[in-house]
Amino acid sequence: MENISILGLQWGDEGKGKIVDYFAKDYRTIVRFQGGPNAGHTVYVNNKKYTFHQLPSGLLWGNKRAIIGSGVVINLELLKKEIEQLSDINFELLIDYRANIILPYHILEDEYEEKLDGIGSTKKGISQAYRDKYARVGVRVFDILDEKRLRRALERSYKFNSVLVYGYKEKMIDFDEVYEYLLNFRKFLKEHSADVQYEIMNQKEGIIFEGAQGTLLDINFGTYPFVTSSHTIVSSIGINLGIPMSMVNKNIGVFKAYTTRVGKGPFPTELNDEIGDYLRNVGNEYGSTTGRPRRCGWLDLVLLKYAVFLNDIHELVLTKLDVLFGLKEINVCVAYEYNGRILDFPILYNLESVKPVYKKFKGFDNFKGASEFISFIESYLNRKIKYVSYGLNRDEITIF
Ligand code: IMP
């Protein structure tokens, strides 16, 4: 069975949860390889809503193997709560020894930093936990398994973070409090931690690699600094799980029929008008982690083509097509105007300076009516849209 990746091609919130759930029917193992509880992957089963933040989506079928890789930053308290909420679902959970932990002071720092000059983060302490990781002072899952090792690791992180918190003229959380907090999870981690790289190397069955956030939030190739702090693109699978990319056989890219983003940052096709409000209301575009209203705009094919290239996408999934039903006219961005020139490549380091060039489509209110819109996207991207998802429920997906 082939291993597949399922990745978001926009600024996140493309509807990956539902798509992962759909494919997970035929797979036992689903792996999260980056991000943390900033993600919110929503799945509806029998009209009941489930939101996955740190666990991979797709567990609702039962008897799955959920894997959290080294590139994920973990909030242990929230993870345990998420597991409790799934108490009637049976699944195995493996967390990599190398995964870094989001510490209570990371969350406070995220608050302070957002107040000072933030980018509109989810305030989950994500960039702060990755900062510790890259500053080589992070606390990892493996550290928590041993009291002495934990104390030493936490001392490093604590010193480094104290400088920051004092810099904000705020009070640092007591060391022993954080130490005890982490020790509380030792039993849980003894049961669930593993060498995930080894497990995946030796896995004989197919795997789903589930991306979180979206391509344009990638720390290198997104709209920096308005990005998340991990790599959200396909190559992240290799780096963060310690496996060769040849182990990923097919890349499935998920995109919405329009564009949204949460937080600050450039967004060329943004609609600050009644059509933007319409997309937000009909598409229920409110953050599944923070509840924030999402910024909405037209589909941007320039960005999408870039995402298809960057992720080596083989097949496309179009989501929320039905949200466009009923609009009189639909625009799709096919190029940018920049300094008097027409570009078909996004200059992501200077995206605020471009003006979208649109192709107009007559509105449609059913699939048949959307066929010109869909064919145009396919020919622009030179990829097939194999699945179209509409509505909330599991079975509301059409295969082409
Ligand atoms: P952080 O990841 O919380 O640091 O937030 C950085 C940026 O990424 C902010 O603009 C967030 O709104 C955005 N972001 C983070 N996670 C997600 C997600 O799962 N969906 C959409 N946007 C996200």
Side-chain angles (χ1 to χ4, degrees), residues 11-13 38-40 119-122 126 213 217 227-228 262-263 292:
W11 275 290
D13 309 315
N38 46 353
I119 61 143
S121 82
T122 60
I126 304 293
Q213 290 81 46
L217 289 173
V227 292
T228 191
V262 214
R292 290 179 290 176

Side-chain angles (χ1 to χ4, degrees), residues 253-280:
V254 186
F255 72 103
K256 251 187 314 216
Y258 48 98
T259 313
T260 61
R261 83 173 293 178
V262 214
K264 298 180 195 169
F267 182 174
T269 61
E270 183 167 17
L271 292 164
N272 287 309
D273 58 12
E274 66 281 6
I275 301 179
D277 294 342
Y278 176 89
L279 294 173
R280 188 174 308 105

Side-chain angles (χ1 to χ4, degrees), residues 326-344:
L327 285 173
K328 268 209 193 82
E329 190 176 74
I330 291 157
N331 283 348
V332 171
C333 171
V334 291
Y336 293 147
E337 214 183 291
Y338 175 66
N339 276 348
R341 288 190 301 148
I342 296 293
L343 303 181
D344 63 356

Side-chain angles (χ1 to χ4, degrees), residues 21 46 163 200 282:
D21 174 73
N46 299 329
V163 176
I200 294 179
V282 179

Side-chain angles (χ1 to χ4, degrees), residues 39-69:
H41 297 171
T42 308
V43 182
Y44 283 84
V45 178
N46 299 329
N47 295 318
K48 190 168 170 202
K49 182 179 176 182
Y50 298 85
T51 308
F52 294 89
H53 295 285
Q54 299 182 87
L55 290 171
S57 328
L59 303 185
L60 299 172
W61 298 100
N63 299 320
K64 300 290 176 197
R65 196 172 195 226
I67 296 190
I68 297 179

Side-chain angles (χ1 to χ4, degrees), residues 75 102-129 131 161 164-165 167-171 173 264 289-290 292:
N75 180 321
I102 300 174
L103 298 165
Y105 43 75
H106 291 148
I107 298 166
L108 295 179
E109 288 164 24
D110 205 346
E111 290 270 345
Y112 307 148
E113 286 165 28
E114 276 302 307
K115 258 192 234 149
L116 189 69
D117 194 4
I119 61 143
S121 82
T122 60
K123 298 191 186 164
K124 299 284 175 199
I126 304 293
S127 66
Q128 294 69 20
R131 180 163 69 202
N161 283 275
L164 292 167
V165 173
Y168 285 109
K169 302 200 169 29
E170 297 284 350
K171 193 172 165 293
I173 308 174
K264 298 180 195 169
T289 297
T290 58
R292 290 179 290 176

